[in-house]
Amino acid sequence: QQAMMQLDPKCQFILESYYLHEVDAQKLAQWLKISPDSVHMTIKRCRDRLKTVLTDGVAVERQASCLNRVDEV
């Protein structure tokens, strides 16, 4: 949920609508005023952004954990 909050509002809306509320691509296309093919590409881009946020967060946590261990020594 924290990772989703780091995405722009459009990506949040698209991912929540598509995955959580199971809105189909055709309906999203109508709402966003884009073609259905564009919806699928937009979903992929938003998923990629979410993945980046998640992997960056894990990297930061690992780095902090390593620094804490060094401080303990």
Side-chain angles (χ1 to χ4, degrees):
Q1 191 174 13
Q2 289 176 351
M4 284 288 286
M5 297 303 290
Q6 293 180 45
L7 297 177
D8 63 90
K10 182 179 177 181
C11 276
Q12 288 178 31
F13 173 78
I14 290 170
L15 293 176
E16 288 175 3
S17 296
Y18 190 76
Y19 289 109
L20 298 179
H21 303 293
E22 299 179 356
V23 176
D24 65 18
Q26 193 74 25
K27 190 66 163 175
L28 276 172
Q30 290 173 352
W31 289 349
L32 300 170
K33 296 179 172 63
I34 60 177
S35 75
D37 291 336
S38 295
V39 170
H40 290 290
M41 182 49 91
T42 304
I43 290 169
K44 183 193 178 314
R45 287 186 184 125
C46 290
R47 262 195 342 253
D48 290 345
R49 288 181 193 143
L50 181 60
K51 182 179 177 182
T52 299
V53 167
L54 289 168
T55 54
D56 286 352
V58 169
V60 168
E61 287 177 21
R62 284 184 186 155
Q63 194 173 35
S65 177
C66 289
L67 289 174
N68 287 339
R69 282 191 221 134
V70 168
D71 289 342
E72 291 171 0
V73 174

